[in-house]
């Protein structure tokens, strides 16, 4: 499905019925990453909406600029398009940065927050320099540059060899992404707000999901979010890396559904 929002076409899937859950993918991914969650979430009586952020998947990839504010505005516009007043929103990695922006600027639209393998602090200066360099390089040499750089850190080390079909599938998503979207996402992450000292402002039911073998954003960052957001629950997925929902979907879905069912209706 597609929605015209903020001057672009935003691709999304909308499945099931009941209280709505929106899951926002990470960088450099797309909404297909959530396919192991569809049956579990909709089968438990929830509506699942999974968008492709601008620049990713099947959504338009304008020249830019890109920012967490623009990504967040697109999500709210999609909610308006779908007549969703409030939703539980989950954000994975970069999607978590979008979620934090939503919580800051649109708290009334968030019924609950699920921080998935993400972190609150912004990049340090070295990290910002790496983002800028990679953004410049991907515009010169294409998306395979990003796919090659990220595939090694997205999975737990054992899954790189034990799950070759999954690795190949994810690599295909990344290498098919428009270079403008990749560069825009990198620059948006580079300039994102530092929420490290601001987590206590997020006053919604919350869950932080980390992964035991995450080499991109170690589980300590999820523990820090759980400690910083008042009342936030914590769940660490075993035997999984940064793509915990794909690598160990059973354990991930258990964490997510326990949280959703605890909220009742919204």
């Amino acid at each position: 499905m597609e929605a015209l929002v903020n001057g672009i076409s935003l691709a999304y899937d909308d499945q099931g019925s009941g209280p709505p859950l929106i899951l926002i993918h990470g960088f450099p991914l797309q909404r297909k990453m959530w396919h192991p969650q569809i049956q579990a979430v909709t089968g438990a009586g929830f509506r699942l909406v999974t968008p492709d952020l601008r620049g990713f998947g099947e959504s338009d990839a304008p020249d830019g600029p890109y920012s967490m504010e623009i990504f967040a505005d697109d999500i709210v516009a999609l909610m308006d398009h779908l007549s969703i007043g409030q939703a539980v929103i989950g954000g994975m990695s970069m999607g978590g940065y979008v979620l934090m922006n939503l919580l800051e600027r649109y708290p009334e639209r968030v019924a609950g927050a699920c921080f998935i393998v993400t972190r609150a602090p912004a990049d340090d200066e070295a990290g910002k320099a790496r983002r800028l360099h990679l953004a410049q390089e991907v515009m010169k040499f294409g998306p395979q540059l990003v796919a090659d750089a990220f595939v090694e850190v997205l999975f737990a080390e054992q899954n790189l060899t034990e799950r070759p079909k999954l690795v190949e599938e994810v690599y295909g998503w990344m290498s098919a992404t428009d270079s403008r979207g990749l560069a825009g996402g990198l620059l948006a992450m580079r300039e994102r707000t530092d929420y490290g000292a601001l987590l206590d402002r997020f006053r919604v039911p919350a869950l932080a999901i980390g992964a035991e073998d995450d080499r991109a954003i170690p589980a300590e960052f999820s523990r820090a979010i759980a400690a910083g957001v008042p009342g936030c629950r914590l769940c660490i997925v075993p035997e999984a890396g940064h793509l915990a929902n794909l690598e160990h979907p059973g354990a991930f879905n258990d964490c997510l559904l326990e949280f959703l069912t605890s909220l009742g209706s919204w």
Side-chain angles (χ1 to χ4, degrees):
M1 288 175 260
E2 294 183 354
L4 292 176
V5 300
N6 297 334
I8 65 162
S9 175
L10 205 70
Y12 68 96
D13 291 324
D14 182 2
Q15 301 175 77
S17 60
L21 167 68
I22 299 172
L23 292 177
I24 306 172
H25 65 79
F27 180 94
L29 304 164
Q30 57 167 279
R31 73 186 192 277
K32 288 180 182 178
M33 70 166 290
W34 301 114
H35 63 75
Q37 280 65 63
I38 295 171
Q39 184 175 354
V41 170
T42 60
F46 299 97
R47 177 183 181 184
L48 178 61
V49 177
T50 53
D52 281 333
L53 294 172
R54 67 167 61 206
F56 297 85
E58 296 176 315
S59 290
D60 285 347
D63 287 330
Y66 290 63
S67 67
M68 294 306 151
E69 288 77 12
I70 290 173
F71 287 144
D73 289 346
D74 288 346
I75 296 296
V76 170
L78 178 62
M79 292 174 71
D80 291 342
H81 175 79
L82 296 174
S83 299
I84 296 174
Q86 256 196 345
V88 171
I89 301 179
M92 177 264 181
S93 197
M94 182 178 76
Y97 310 151
V98 180
L99 171 58
M100 292 177 206
N101 192 279
L102 285 163
L103 286 165
E104 179 186 8
R105 298 172 56 238
Y106 299 99
E108 72 283 357
R109 307 303 295 268
V110 186
C114 187
F115 304 96
I116 302 167
V117 293
T118 192
R119 60 181 181 177
D123 292 344
D124 59 18
E125 290 306 313
K128 289 182 178 181
R130 288 192 295 270
R131 302 266 198 210
L132 178 59
H133 177 72
L134 188 55
Q136 293 168 337
E137 293 291 287
V138 74
M139 291 303 296
K140 293 178 184 176
F141 301 112
Q144 287 79 12
L145 190 77
V146 168
D148 290 340
F150 275 75
V151 72
E152 292 293 326
V153 299
L154 288 178
F155 294 91
E157 191 169 358
Q158 67 270 21
N159 288 329
L160 276 172
T161 54
E162 295 175 4
R163 306 282 297 279
K165 289 185 178 180
L166 178 60
V167 173
E168 182 181 0
E169 182 180 22
V170 172
Y171 185 90
W173 300 340
M174 296 188 290
S175 61
T177 305
D178 194 296
S179 291
R180 291 171 296 184
L182 293 170
L186 285 162
L187 296 178
M189 288 189 289
R190 182 180 187 270
E191 300 301 327
R192 71 185 189 275
T193 299
D194 190 329
Y195 289 103
L198 304 176
L199 291 173
D200 62 348
R201 299 183 184 182
F202 299 154
R203 300 301 176 106
V204 295
L207 167 68
I209 300 179
E212 185 177 59
D213 300 318
D214 193 338
R215 295 183 290 167
I217 299 181
E220 66 190 68
F221 288 101
S222 296
R223 294 188 178 96
I225 290 173
V229 176
C232 184
R233 306 178 185 199
L234 175 66
C235 184
I236 304 297
V237 179
E239 300 176 0
H242 200 50
L243 293 171
N245 70 298
L246 286 164
E247 295 176 76
H248 203 332
F252 180 91
N253 291 345
D254 287 347
C255 292
L256 182 61
L257 289 175
E258 182 181 1
F259 174 64
L260 292 176
T261 55
S262 73
L263 302 179
S265 298
W266 52 90

